[in-house]
Amino acid sequence: MSEAPVLPLHMRRDGFDPVPELSALREGEGVRRVTTPLGLEAWLVTRFADVREVLGDSERFSNVLHRAVRVPGMEGYTEEELARLRAGNMLACDPPEHTRLRRMLTPEFTVRRMRALEPRVRRIVADHLDAMERGGPPADLVSAFALPVPSLVICELLGVPHTDRGDFQRRTSRMLDLSLSFQERTQAQRESREYMAGLVARAAADPGDDLLGMLVREHGDDLSADELAGIGSLLLLAGHETTANMLALGTLALLRHPVQMALLRKEPERIEAAVEELLRWLSIVHSGAFKVTTTDVEIAGVRIPEGEAVVCVLPAANRDPGLVPDPDRLDITRGGLGHVAFGHGVHHCLGAPLARMELRIAFPALLERFPGLRETGRAPEFRSFHIVYGLNSLEVAW
């Protein structure tokens, strides 16, 4: 009988908050060596300034983990298999390879392009609120609103049939669930790649106006089929999981902070500042950003040798008193803060403009439609073991 998985220190939460031990680590030594659930030794970096330094230096801190770190469970995979799984994954490569891939995608995620998408996003949001209203309370905000809205948006952007959403959401959930074995999660990744490879083949035969079609038309000679499948898989995963969990967890945060929610209702023009504060305060990518040192480095006075894994603990960094005063307090009046919820440096989240736009539209629309929105008393289910923190369910009434 296998042992129950243990949640690593950097992913431990008390509801919305990082556990006190993480805060104590940040306020104390700042850096500590730990053993991760995969059996890897890694250095946790917890202070805001140190995390920004690591994320901003792709020369000394590499995203190519496999060069120095062998993950337990990878032994059965050939280098060719692993290379295919990594192809097109911008999170698993460094410049200049990362630069080459990102340059092809950046035009699709500009603020200007997002503005053009806004009317469609507003329609998608309104349609799902209509359906919630027709169904009547109680409703599970996750399944009725938070998950389907960004899912439909990214499906339309990529050219993925929305009828397939049940299957790709199931695969994504398994890929991100650290309570499952490495083999189970890799199998889900394989299935996701195979699915996307089929869509890439279809786009290659008849490229449409969506993002996959654009990549085939404009960069088909520069990208292999494996790279196209990798890019599509990453965007599909990141495009719905992160925003969906921000919508659910952010709504719960506002419900639990009624003064903040009332202020946002009264002054909806505060939505941009509110979104930034929620991103900082919630830090849903709580699994951290993994790096490998390419040389001996020193962080917070601690020497870390070459070839060591480093984990940037984003929830601890975003709650650093060096970033904002009274950082554990949710305060939507703070405004833009330079948080690291989307990362920093060359790997800063490509889809940040899309996520911000969806959140900026969805939160006010939800609060306006349901002035009496409230929890029913049924405890929400937190997703502690998932790479993206969030909720499995949130029952609400109005």
Side-chain angles (χ1 to χ4, degrees):
M1 185 174 177
S2 60
E3 295 183 10
V6 177
L7 199 63
L9 171 60
H10 63 282
M11 291 176 64
R12 292 177 198 162
R13 298 259 193 151
D14 180 8
F16 300 115
D17 306 323
V19 293
E21 188 179 352
L22 261 182
S23 301
L25 170 57
R26 183 191 60 226
E27 302 310 314
E29 65 264 45
V31 176
R32 181 186 299 172
R33 200 176 195 202
V34 299
T35 302
T36 70
L38 296 175
L40 294 174
E41 296 293 313
W43 297 86
L44 300 187
V45 179
T46 57
R47 294 176 186 155
F48 179 76
D50 296 330
V51 164
R52 270 181 62 97
E53 179 185 349
V54 172
L55 295 178
D57 189 343
S58 59
E59 291 189 7
R60 293 191 304 151
F61 300 95
S62 170
N63 271 42
V64 186
L65 301 185
H66 65 277
R67 288 179 183 164
V69 179
R70 292 299 292 183
V71 176
M74 290 175 62
E75 298 84 357
Y77 297 90
T78 66
E79 283 302 320
E80 184 181 359
E81 285 180 305
L82 292 173
R84 290 195 68 188
L85 283 174
R86 295 183 194 114
N89 182 355
M90 290 183 291
L91 297 180
C93 62
D94 296 327
E97 178 65 8
H98 172 268
T99 310
R100 178 181 76 91
L101 295 173
R102 186 164 177 132
R103 188 180 293 127
M104 299 177 194
L105 291 166
T106 299
E108 298 302 308
F109 291 92
T110 59
V111 173
R112 180 182 174 189
R113 190 63 58 93
M114 293 307 106
R115 286 202 190 102
L117 276 176
E118 271 200 33
R120 180 57 185 145
V121 173
R122 290 187 186 279
R123 183 71 260 158
I124 290 170
V125 166
D127 288 347
H128 284 83
L129 292 175
D130 289 345
M132 269 183 69
E133 194 168 16
R134 282 195 304 271
D140 177 12
L141 190 81
V142 174
S143 61
F145 184 69
L147 185 56
V149 166
S151 172
L152 183 52
V153 172
I154 197 66
C155 281
E156 291 191 3
L157 189 64
L158 276 172
V160 174
H162 198 236
T163 50
D164 295 346
R165 67 189 181 279
D167 287 336
F168 74 65
Q169 286 168 358
R170 174 186 55 78
R171 286 191 295 268
T172 296
S173 182
R174 292 180 66 79
M175 287 165 63
L176 299 178
D177 187 352
L178 292 180
S179 70
L180 301 179
S181 70
F182 177 80
Q183 288 83 356
E184 289 174 295
R185 287 185 288 115
T186 305
Q187 179 57 34
Q189 185 183 4
R190 275 199 177 114
E191 291 171 6
S192 177
R193 281 298 185 104
E194 289 170 6
Y195 168 74
M196 192 58 66
L199 294 184
V200 166
R202 194 183 312 168
D206 183 19
D209 295 329
D210 49 71
L211 201 150
L212 279 180
M214 179 279 294
L215 287 172
V216 167
R217 279 195 313 276
E218 298 183 15
H219 305 288
D221 295 335
D222 306 314
L223 292 167
S224 68
D226 284 337
E227 286 177 323
L228 284 165
I231 290 169
S233 297
L234 176 61
L235 293 178
L236 182 60
L237 181 155
H240 77 273
E241 276 287 333
T242 49
T243 308
N245 284 292
M246 269 302 302
L247 279 174
L249 208 57
T251 300
L252 181 62
L254 291 171
L255 289 171
R256 298 276 175 93
H257 294 79
V259 173
Q260 299 291 303
M261 187 165 74
L263 178 60
L264 186 57
R265 284 187 195 278
K266 182 182 176 184
E267 301 176 15
E269 65 273 13
R270 291 187 181 272
I271 184 58
E272 289 191 22
V275 165
E276 297 308 314
E277 175 70 347
L278 286 166
L279 286 163
R280 178 198 72 83
W281 197 72
L282 294 170
S283 297
I284 59 168
V285 185
H286 68 155
S287 54
F290 274 72
K291 304 281 184 176
V292 170
T293 54
T294 61
T295 184
D296 291 359
V297 300
E298 186 175 301
I299 306 172
V302 177
R303 180 185 170 277
I304 301 177
E306 177 185 352
E308 295 275 303
V310 172
V311 181
C312 293
V313 188
L314 305 185
N318 278 332
R319 297 286 190 98
D320 190 336
L323 172 61
V324 291
D326 196 9
D328 291 323
R329 178 172 55 89
L330 179 67
D331 180 0
I332 66 168
T333 68
R334 292 188 203 265
L337 302 163
H339 57 73
V340 287
F342 286 121
H344 176 65
V346 297
H347 287 280
H348 182 271
C349 176
L350 177 70
L354 176 61
R356 283 185 165 110
M357 183 255 286
E358 291 180 86
L359 297 172
R360 195 178 70 243
I361 290 171
F363 282 128
L366 175 67
L367 298 182
E368 182 181 350
R369 180 67 67 94
F370 301 119
L373 190 71
R374 64 189 185 277
E375 292 182 74
T376 63
R378 183 177 178 179
E381 296 178 27
F382 289 89
R383 305 193 333 167
S384 298
F385 276 93
H386 276 241
I387 287 173
V388 179
Y389 192 55
L391 299 171
N392 286 319
S393 65
L394 174 59
E395 191 175 88
V396 295
W398 53 87

